[in-house]
Amino acid sequence: MTSVMGSPDATGRFGGFGGRYVPESLMPAVLELEVAFREAWTDPLFRAQYTSTLESYAGRPTRLYLAERLSEHLGAQIWLKREDLAHTGSHKINNVIGQALLARRMGKTRLIAETGAGQHGVATATAAALLGLDAKVYMGEVDVKRQSLNVFRMRLLGAEVEPVKSGSRTLKDAVNEAMRSWVAALEDTHYCIGSVMGPHPYPWMVREFQRVIGDEARSQYLVATGSTPDWVVACVGGGSNAAGTFAGFVDTSARLVGVEPEGGAAIGRGVGGIVHGMESYFLQDEFGQVNEASSISAGLDYPGVGPEHAYLHTIGRARYDQVNDDQVLDAVRLLARLEGIICALESAHAVAWLVQHREEIAGTSVVLTLSGRGDKDAETIAERLGFLEGESYA
Amino acid sequence: MLERTLQDLRTRGRRLLVPYIMAGVEADWLSLVELVVERGADAVEIGIPFSDPSMDGPVIQRAGETALARGATPLSVLSELRQQSFGVPIVVMTYYNIFHHMGDDRAIGELRRSGVDGVIIPDLPFEEGARWRELAARENLETVQLISPATSDERIDEILSVAEGFVYGVGRMAVTGEQVELAATATAIAARIRPRTSLPVLIGIGISNGAQARSVVGAGADGVVVGSALMRRLLDGESPDALAAFLDELRSALDDA
């Protein structure tokens, strides 16, 4: 058994979860990727290139901000890790810079990606532009409609956006379509998966590219307070911002909390399964058909969860709770009014958890990863809060 | 049973035709199975529809969605299959989650009770499939392995060391689907696998007509699996006679090869 949040074993397993369940046509590609990532991640030159790109281009380190009015409101000390301030507006850029540099190192000239809310698609389109690579992004037709701002951004950045019309026409189907297209383009194309999911080495690799969130937050917190926080909280769809955050705190006494949307709670309401190349928890019907997730945030509308989260749940190192869409909307408004920050609906799940558990966290300290900004969600939020009708929604 | 039957046919000089039918795609899908057997199928591949068929192209996806919309479930399909015997081996193709969800032991038991002789599980690569193969072998359920144009020679030999039933050579670096032109990789993969195994070698994915079937047999394959070309005709509403004519084309191309 490997140490918690260290490297997975040779078959890519975190306890009983993970693995490499891909068709033989893709197997050589994922094996090649694993070797390439291992080499790159132990190469100081690659690490330096990754770190300096994040600093000079993506705006790292992001701030760890003591949210005083929110703290006062909740009776706890709340520190926000401001991934919403990273270039492109979310933590997705950390992973994409890593994978795009790796793709170039492997001699690939083209990136493909799936996206739900569009943040990963925008990040992929951005990294492709930065490094002179071609990019094509698969996005469920339903999401194309509800995240039109990000579709526009991707196209402006020079990426091709392909609406996916199969299945439920959301994130899980975009993953299927990206995998299908990857098989036919392995020579020149890297599949840039946007979360800690998919076949080995993706869950491990993406967590490593995201651990900069947790590593920064831990040292920033230490400098500010001289200690470690009582709680570390992040939202979980596939779970990349949570995995990156948890990685920085897993060896402290902090209690780790992943917040799932009620309508897409793979850990809370799913069962064990093997889909999209990995063994993990998935929302399924009684026959093993994968159910659609349903949440107000397109980015968390995924019926599965990264295998490492399944493992952290099983061993009890992290706790996974759920919040519903109404609580999320209240949290968006609360953060906007108290702190002047409009966060993404995804990130608002973590904020909603604080409100829901204010008695439990009273008098303690919390580091919360605010994974992205809310511009993309303005229309959805306005519709739900009645703003477009001119109603008062105070 | 699958391997022995195909080997016997092969020894007698017969080229092998294995059509694919999505279970539950229409109410009387079992009569489609009968039809392909009548027109000379040597085994039949039967798909169990799955919500996330990541190895399948548009035609098989549509066939699966149609079957799911009609209410087909793994158990309903297997229980229908149980009502009839066809005189040729039956190979079930689906994604591993369907079996995993049932539990490996129960899935293997249900498959055998329905007279299924072999399985093709595209997302269960040989590294992950050891436990499944062991359990299945105990019940004489043969697990077919896939080999793709991207598979190295060393890996081909590893895969062949656990292969049963027949070897499924992937003709194209792509998901399932019809092709106007046969990919060069289809004949190349047949030629690469042939000298390395005494198992029957069938090529599938991108085999769309008699001429293409003849080409891969000419390159060393023992036969072909044909899925999308058949299912597309069915979904387009072609008559049983037209389907029979297409199967006859494949059959005679193989017989003349």
Side-chain angles (χ1 to χ4, degrees):
Chain A
M1 182 52 61
T2 53
S3 66
V4 177
M5 300 202 90
S7 306
D9 71 13
T11 62
R13 286 188 176 271
F14 307 94
F17 302 96
R20 214 163 11 204
Y21 294 88
V22 294
E24 178 56 27
S25 296
L26 284 178
M27 202 66 189
V30 297
L31 291 169
E32 178 198 0
L33 181 62
E34 183 194 345
V35 170
F37 173 66
R38 267 183 207 285
E39 281 172 10
W41 208 228
T42 51
D43 176 356
L45 284 174
F46 181 85
R47 293 289 276 253
Q49 195 179 29
Y50 165 74
T51 303
S52 76
T53 308
L54 288 184
E55 284 174 10
S56 61
Y57 181 73
R60 301 211 73 89
T62 58
R63 300 299 168 134
L64 183 71
Y65 161 73
L66 175 60
E68 291 190 21
R69 294 191 69 211
L70 181 65
S71 297
E72 195 186 334
H73 178 79
L74 293 170
Q77 247 200 11
I78 313 297
W79 297 77
L80 302 178
K81 180 59 175 163
R82 298 289 307 275
E83 293 301 297
D84 59 315
L85 296 179
H87 180 46
T88 71
S90 86
H91 72 291
K92 294 292 186 188
I93 193 76
N94 306 327
N95 168 43
V96 159
I97 293 288
Q99 287 199 50
L101 288 169
L102 183 62
R104 193 173 67 176
R105 184 182 161 109
M106 293 172 75
K108 311 285 181 187
T109 57
R110 184 170 172 267
L111 301 177
I112 55 170
E114 82 293 336
T115 199
Q119 290 301 97
H120 174 60
V122 168
T124 303
T126 299
L130 178 69
L131 299 184
L133 306 169
D134 292 331
K136 182 167 182 175
V137 179
Y138 294 87
M139 187 170 188
E141 202 181 35
V142 171
D143 295 333
V144 167
K145 290 203 178 95
R146 62 176 165 172
Q147 302 287 345
S148 55
L149 174 63
N150 276 343
V151 174
F152 169 74
R153 291 168 79 198
M154 286 184 266
R155 289 186 171 144
L156 185 61
L157 288 159
E160 189 185 339
V161 180
E162 171 121 352
V164 175
K165 298 182 168 106
S166 58
S168 61
R169 296 171 294 139
T170 59
L171 180 53
K172 82 178 176 76
D173 310 285
V175 173
N176 291 332
E177 207 54 42
M179 287 179 96
R180 290 176 188 128
S181 74
W182 194 30
V183 179
L186 292 173
E187 288 283 298
D188 66 347
T189 300
H190 171 70
Y191 178 17
C192 187
I193 294 185
S195 193
V196 286
M197 50 153 291
H200 179 58
Y202 283 100
W204 169 48
M205 175 172 75
V206 175
R207 179 250 283 164
E208 288 299 290
F209 285 143
Q210 291 291 6
R211 73 177 304 136
V212 63
I213 305 171
D215 289 345
E216 278 176 14
R218 181 173 179 171
S219 58
Q220 289 166 324
Y221 190 88
L222 184 67
V223 167
T225 69
S227 66
T228 54
D230 300 314
W231 299 89
V232 171
V233 182
C235 65
V236 174
S240 69
N241 89 84
T245 306
F246 292 175
F249 293 95
V250 71
D251 60 342
T252 72
S253 59
R255 298 180 66 181
L256 310 178
V257 180
V259 187
E260 297 189 289
E262 207 174 71
I267 292 182
R269 298 175 176 211
V271 293
I274 293 172
V275 182
H276 290 156
M278 60 179 170
E279 179 156 7
S280 190
Y281 291 113
F282 298 88
L283 301 175
Q284 302 171 58
D285 74 6
E286 60 183 305
F287 301 108
Q289 309 291 0
V290 181
N291 284 340
E292 270 173 69
S294 140
S295 141
I296 192 171
S297 64
L300 303 184
D301 246 4
Y302 182 66
V305 67
E308 193 162 29
H309 287 295
Y311 176 60
L312 292 172
H313 166 71
T314 304
I315 62 170
R317 179 60 192 95
R319 148 180 171 186
Y320 295 84
D321 290 337
Q322 301 163 39
V323 294
N324 66 35
D325 288 354
D326 291 337
Q327 292 169 317
V328 167
L329 284 163
D330 286 345
V332 168
R333 186 166 43 192
L334 182 73
L335 194 68
R337 296 289 172 90
L338 289 180
E339 297 292 345
I341 297 170
I342 298 173
C343 71
L345 286 168
E346 289 77 12
S347 323
H349 283 69
V351 179
W353 183 90
L354 298 180
V355 177
Q356 194 186 33
H357 295 84
R358 62 195 300 167
E359 285 176 17
E360 203 176 345
I361 61 171
T364 67
S365 61
V366 180
V367 166
L368 182 149
T369 297
L370 210 62
S371 57
R373 68 179 186 225
D375 310 38
K376 68 184 176 59
D377 299 316
E379 220 173 301
T380 308
I381 298 169
E383 258 171 46
R384 289 291 291 257
L385 293 178
F387 178 72
L388 289 179
E389 285 75 41
E391 290 165 25
S392 158
Y393 59 94
Chain B
M1 162 73 178
L2 173 64
E3 185 172 325
R4 212 181 53 213
T5 305
L6 296 185
Q7 285 287 29
D8 285 351
L9 290 166
R10 189 177 157 223
T11 314
R12 299 210 300 269
R14 183 169 166 99
R15 313 295 196 187
L16 306 171
L17 175 60
V18 180
Y20 170 100
I21 288 166
M22 175 64 78
V25 68
E26 54 179 51
D28 57 349
W29 64 276
L30 288 174
S31 68
L32 288 170
V33 180
E34 272 182 343
L35 174 76
V36 301
V37 173
E38 262 170 38
R39 311 317 291 193
D42 299 297
V44 184
E45 182 181 342
I46 291 181
I48 296 181
F50 178 53
S51 55
D52 293 78
S54 55
M55 253 310 267
D56 285 306
V59 169
I60 304 293
Q61 283 176 47
R62 191 148 53 94
E65 284 176 14
T66 304
L68 289 171
R70 288 193 59 260
T73 73
L75 291 178
S76 74
V77 162
L78 289 175
S79 112
E80 286 180 85
L81 206 48
R82 205 164 295 160
Q83 295 159 14
Q84 216 164 324
S85 63
F86 300 97
V88 300
I90 299 293
V91 187
V92 159
M93 181 279 183
T94 194
Y95 292 82
Y96 186 46
N97 198 54
I98 294 291
F99 296 148
H100 178 76
H101 190 84
M102 251 188 248
D104 288 352
D105 276 318
R106 176 164 178 229
I108 290 162
E110 293 286 349
L111 288 161
R112 290 301 286 145
R113 282 212 299 141
S114 294
V116 174
D117 304 288
V119 287
I120 300 170
I121 315 173
D123 60 343
L124 188 66
F126 85 100
E127 287 96 334
E128 301 283 5
R131 189 185 118 86
W132 167 272
R133 285 194 302 272
E134 192 192 317
L135 295 172
R138 261 186 234 163
E139 302 300 322
N140 299 315
L141 181 70
E142 296 167 44
T143 305
V144 172
Q145 301 295 321
L146 290 93
I147 289 175
S148 98
T151 311
S152 67
D153 286 349
E154 190 189 11
R155 213 176 142 77
I156 289 180
D157 291 337
E158 281 182 89
I159 294 171
L160 288 173
S161 72
V162 303
E164 304 167 316
F166 63 87
V167 180
Y168 193 128
V170 174
R172 252 181 110 228
M173 287 302 289
V175 293
T176 55
E178 282 182 89
Q179 291 300 310
V180 177
E181 298 284 334
L182 183 69
T185 46
T187 47
I189 194 67
R192 280 177 70 206
I193 301 171
R194 178 71 287 157
R196 306 178 110 85
T197 183
S198 58
L199 283 171
V201 176
L202 274 68
I203 306 300
I205 302 191
I207 308 295
S208 314
N209 57 42
Q212 295 177 358
R214 191 164 25 222
S215 297
V216 295
V217 165
D222 297 302
V224 292
V225 179
V226 178
S228 295
L230 182 61
M231 295 312 292
R232 195 258 305 155
R233 285 172 166 80
L234 180 77
L235 292 169
D236 284 354
E238 290 193 12
S239 67
D241 285 349
L243 297 177
F246 176 59
L247 290 158
D248 291 347
E249 174 198 329
L250 294 170
R251 185 69 263 171
S252 58
L254 289 168
D255 291 343
D256 299 345

